Amino acid sequence: MHKTSAWPLSFIYASLIVYASLYPFGEWRDQGIFALSFLWQPWPKYWTGFDVGINLLGYAPFGFLLSLAGLRSGRGAPRAVLWATLIALVVSLAMETAQVFLTSRVASNVDFALNSLGGWSGAVLAALLEKAGALDRWSQLRQRWFVADARGGLVLLALWPVALLFPAAVPLGLGQVMERLEERLADWLRNTPFLDWLPVRAIELQPMTPSAEMISVWLGALIPCLLGFCVVRGGRRRGLFVLLVMASAIGVTALSHALSFGPVLAWSWFGLPVKVGLAMALGTSCVLLLAPRRVNAALAILCIGVYLSVINQASNGPYFEQTLHAWEQGRFIRFNGVAQWLAWLWPYASLAYVLTLVTRADA
């Protein structure tokens, strides 16, 4: 089987679809009706462009990745498109059927049709790009730009901008899980003797100071650069990659704030600590452009450790909690699971990846 990043990306995307479709996983019930009865229900009279767009676009990348994986594995275009479309259709049908048993969700034949159409359109797009030779040119470009075993790093780098879309207590702040994890553990252990085993802080978590925000932004922008240096060939290509990372960090964070707080406040996060942190990340990355792959991986391990320590010593704050509530219960409920888990787990997955690079004999 041809090694391609499309396989792991399609598996990850499928798991995120399951999470986003069934979130918040509570209050399951049996309505006493046939589970597939939603398929022949009348179409809803009211719908919004947002609902149509999110259902189409939500499954289009899934169909694209499945079709691409089939094409890179030697399947012909018709078989790859059919295979990807059927899988997207089955996944969508399974999710809508499961939503029949969730009180917070409503199974919809329109959602099922739009999801299936989105998966088909993504699969067709992959086949058209293959026919036009774009995928072959991408393979040639990948050979020139990236090392042979770059698949894991490319997957992580592709997921990084998506993770940044989820609201963060500090710009580029990923992996801030300790406060929520402690709260969840306390809920699980309530009314049990194990609750006393949880450590109690002498001082409650405090909002992040400007200096700590600067450090977290610096490391938050530097870590994907170091990760890229582990898979990108040559100093000139690494320099272009750094510029792409910086542009993505600024653009995606602005988009996240626009979605969370409105377009007027899209740049409210871009204060002096953020500007200094981004400048430090840019300067540090330029110094390390020619550093060996293993050196960059070792530095990434150090940076991720410090970064997670700084991020998880700061409190979320009441305004951040209100923003999370808006995402988790409002119009972003379908997208919440995708971005939230990526925002929580991306640094830890990156840490595991660079650890394998450091310990490998051929790195």
Side-chain angles (χ1 to χ4, degrees):
M1 181 181 295
H2 180 77
K3 289 187 176 181
T4 171
S5 302
W7 283 114
L9 281 173
S10 61
F11 293 144
I12 292 172
Y13 203 91
S15 63
L16 293 174
I17 284 177
V18 172
Y19 182 91
S21 299
L22 303 183
Y23 180 87
F25 300 98
E27 300 182 11
W28 294 82
R29 86 297 194 217
D30 184 1
Q31 299 188 82
I33 61 175
F34 182 50
L36 297 178
S37 60
F38 68 92
L39 289 174
W40 48 82
Q41 293 294 323
W43 283 37
K45 297 181 180 180
Y46 304 103
W47 50 271
T48 65
F50 179 85
D51 293 330
V52 173
I54 201 66
N55 281 288
L56 280 173
L57 297 178
Y59 272 71
F62 186 45
F64 182 90
L65 291 170
L66 289 172
S67 181
L68 178 59
L71 291 168
R72 307 316 288 169
S73 300
R75 290 185 176 91
R79 288 184 59 194
V81 170
L82 177 61
W83 177 78
T85 303
L86 287 176
I87 292 181
L89 186 148
V90 170
V91 170
S92 177
L93 180 62
M95 293 302 97
E96 294 299 324
T97 302
Q99 288 178 2
V100 172
F101 303 97
L102 278 171
T103 57
S104 60
R105 294 302 185 94
V106 177
S108 169
N109 49 13
V110 176
D111 289 352
F112 169 65
L114 291 173
N115 291 338
S116 302
L117 181 60
W120 171 82
S121 62
V124 170
L125 177 61
L128 292 176
L129 291 176
E130 171 72 11
K131 185 176 181 179
L135 298 183
D136 287 336
R137 286 193 289 272
W138 159 249
S139 297
Q140 296 171 6
L141 180 66
R142 174 174 173 170
Q143 291 176 2
R144 292 197 305 268
W145 273 70
F146 305 108
V147 297
D149 57 342
R151 180 171 57 171
L154 290 177
V155 169
L156 289 169
L157 290 171
L159 295 176
W160 180 66
V162 183
L164 290 181
L165 283 175
F166 190 73
V170 60
L172 310 186
L174 305 179
Q176 190 176 12
V177 299
M178 293 306 298
E179 189 171 6
R180 279 202 159 196
L181 184 60
E182 289 176 353
E183 294 175 356
R184 185 60 58 86
L185 283 174
D187 290 339
W188 287 345
L189 298 178
R190 184 172 288 117
N191 300 324
T192 71
F194 300 105
L195 182 62
D196 296 332
W197 293 16
L198 288 179
V200 179
R201 296 194 199 95
I203 302 177
E204 285 296 320
L205 294 177
Q206 300 298 316
M208 187 170 286
T209 63
S211 59
E213 182 180 3
M214 178 194 68
I215 292 174
S216 65
V217 171
W218 169 43
L219 296 177
L222 179 60
I223 288 168
C225 293
L226 294 174
L227 183 62
F229 292 170
C230 294
V231 297
V232 177
R233 301 179 186 270
R236 184 175 63 86
R237 296 186 180 94
R238 288 181 176 181
L240 293 175
F241 172 76
V242 169
L243 295 179
L244 177 61
V245 168
M246 296 300 164
S248 299
I250 296 172
V252 175
T253 304
L255 176 60
S256 174
H257 274 66
L259 293 173
S260 303
F261 308 109
V264 177
L265 299 177
W267 296 98
S268 60
W269 59 279
F270 201 56
L272 181 60
V274 175
K275 294 177 182 178
V276 175
L278 289 173
M280 291 173 60
L282 179 61
T284 309
S285 300
C286 292
V287 171
L288 297 171
L289 285 178
L290 300 178
R293 184 185 188 191
R294 181 168 287 179
V295 171
N296 284 309
L299 288 174
I301 294 173
L302 176 62
C303 289
I304 293 173
V306 176
Y307 173 74
L308 291 174
S309 176
V310 173
I311 286 291
N312 284 287
Q313 287 180 16
S315 172
N316 287 332
Y319 295 108
F320 178 67
E321 293 295 339
Q322 292 177 8
T323 304
L324 289 186
H325 181 77
W327 270 66
E328 293 173 357
Q329 305 300 331
R331 70 186 307 188
F332 298 106
I333 187 170
R334 291 181 178 272
F335 183 69
N336 167 70
V338 178
Q340 184 181 62
W341 278 99
L342 288 176
W344 285 349
L345 299 180
W346 190 89
Y348 303 97
S350 299
L351 179 61
Y353 175 75
V354 291
L355 279 171
T356 61
L357 293 182
V358 171
T359 55
R360 278 171 43 186
D362 59 341

